[in-house]
Amino acid sequence: MPTVDRVLQAETGTEQTAVEPPARPDPEPIVSVVVPALNEAQNLPHVFARLPRVDEVILVDGGSTDDTVAVARRLRPDIRVVTQNRRGKGNALACGFAACTGDIIVMIDADGSTDPGEIPSFVEALRAGADFAKGSRFQPGGGSADITRLRRAGNKALSVLVNVLFGTSYSDLCYGYNAFWACHLDVFGLDSTSPAPEGADGRLWGDGFEIETLLNLRAARARLAIEEVPSFEHNRIHGVSNLNALTDGIRVLRTIAREWPRRRRDMSRPVAERAAR
C-alpha cells in the first residue's frame, strides 16, 4: 500500500503530498520488581541503592523478626509490603507475583547476590521478543563470586539432565534471577492463596528453593520464548544463606521427576489441542 496520498489541488493544478504521521513508539512497559525477604534489614540499603527506575517494588516479608519492613518503607515510601501465607522462597514469590500490577515481573533476591542494576538487560530481552528472560551465570558476561565447586558441578549435571528431558538449552538451571511478561503468570500454576498444610514443614511443593527450577521447567513446557541473560552473582552482603546444596539439590531432582510426566503428556496431545492451550 502507498505511504502517501496524492491530493490534486483544483485551485492551482499542482500536486501536494500529504505525509502520514509517524507511528507512535511502543509505550514503555510497567515494570514490577518482587523482593522476597526474611530478616534482610542490613542488606536492603545496598539492594535498593542499586535499583534502576522501576514502576513498582513489592517486598514479600516471610515473618522477619528484625526491622526488614521498617527499613524497606523508610528507603522506599512507595513500596508495597506483602506478607506470605506459608513458608519458603517459592511461596514468597507466588504471593509477590499475585500482587503485581505491572506488565513485566522481575524477581531479585534481598541479600545482594543478584544485581538490581541488571534489570534493564532482562527488560530489554523481553521487549526484544522473549516471553521469559532467564538469568545465567554461565553465559559470556556472567559469573559468580559465591558458587562452590560442588554446587557448580551439581548445577551442570542437573542442567544437562533437564536439557535432555525437556528439549531445552539451559546453561544455568538453579539461579533465581528471572523476568517475564505478567500475561504468562498462569503458565507457572503457582498457589498464593492456600493456607499452610499440616505436615513436617508446612509447605506445598514449589514453596522452597525448588521454585527456580519449577519456573524454568514450566516455561519450557508451555513453549514460552526463553532468552538467557548473562548475570553476575555476588556474595551475600550480610547474614547466612538458608540454601543447602544437598537437601535443596534433592528437591530439584524431585521437581524434575514430578514435571517430566507432565511434559510427556503435553507432547502426546494432538498439535491442535496443544496450540489451543
Side-chain angles (χ1 to χ4, degrees), residues 57-209:
V57 180
I58 296 178
L59 181 94
V60 187
D61 182 50
S64 299
T65 56
D66 65 359
D67 294 332
T68 292
V69 173
V71 168
R73 285 178 168 149
R74 184 176 73 248
L75 294 171
R76 287 193 68 103
D78 63 335
I79 200 166
R80 294 178 59 200
V81 177
V82 174
T83 301
Q84 66 181 100
N85 62 331
R86 296 190 298 274
R87 296 174 53 244
K89 181 180 181 180
N91 173 244
L93 288 172
C95 293
F97 294 166
C100 288
T101 62
D103 304 305
I104 288 175
I105 299 175
V106 185
M107 49 188 276
I108 64 172
D109 291 335
D111 59 6
S113 60
T114 53
D115 184 359
E118 295 175 354
I119 288 176
S121 297
F122 285 81
V123 172
E124 181 58 32
L126 295 174
R127 298 197 70 183
D131 298 317
F132 185 79
K134 179 186 173 307
S136 173
R137 296 162 290 185
F138 306 124
Q139 285 285 349
S144 177
D146 178 63
I147 195 168
T148 63
R149 289 184 178 180
L150 176 62
R151 286 172 53 210
R152 183 186 295 268
N155 192 355
K156 177 65 174 178
L158 292 168
S159 297
V160 170
L161 177 63
V162 164
N163 289 340
V164 171
L165 294 179
F166 288 80
T168 53
S169 55
Y170 292 150
S171 64
D172 191 355
L173 181 68
C174 307
Y175 188 46
Y177 201 165
N178 302 304
F180 56 91
W181 290 101
C183 60
H184 298 305
L185 180 57
D186 288 348
V187 159
F188 302 114
L190 304 180
D191 186 334
S192 62
T193 59
S194 297
E198 296 181 4
D201 62 2
R203 292 188 291 183
L204 298 178
W205 193 259
D207 281 354
F209 283 106

Side-chain angles (χ1 to χ4, degrees), residues 158 161-162 165-166 173 205 210 213-214 217-218 221 249-265:
L158 292 168
L161 177 63
V162 164
L165 294 179
F166 288 80
L173 181 68
W205 193 259
E210 71 274 7
T213 299
L214 191 67
L217 298 187
R218 290 186 177 174
R221 276 182 48 214
I250 293 173
R251 291 183 73 88
V252 169
L253 274 173
R254 289 181 62 191
T255 301
I256 296 170
R258 290 167 68 108
E259 293 297 308
W260 168 235
R262 299 179 185 181
R263 157 76 173 177
R264 295 184 65 184
R265 287 198 298 272

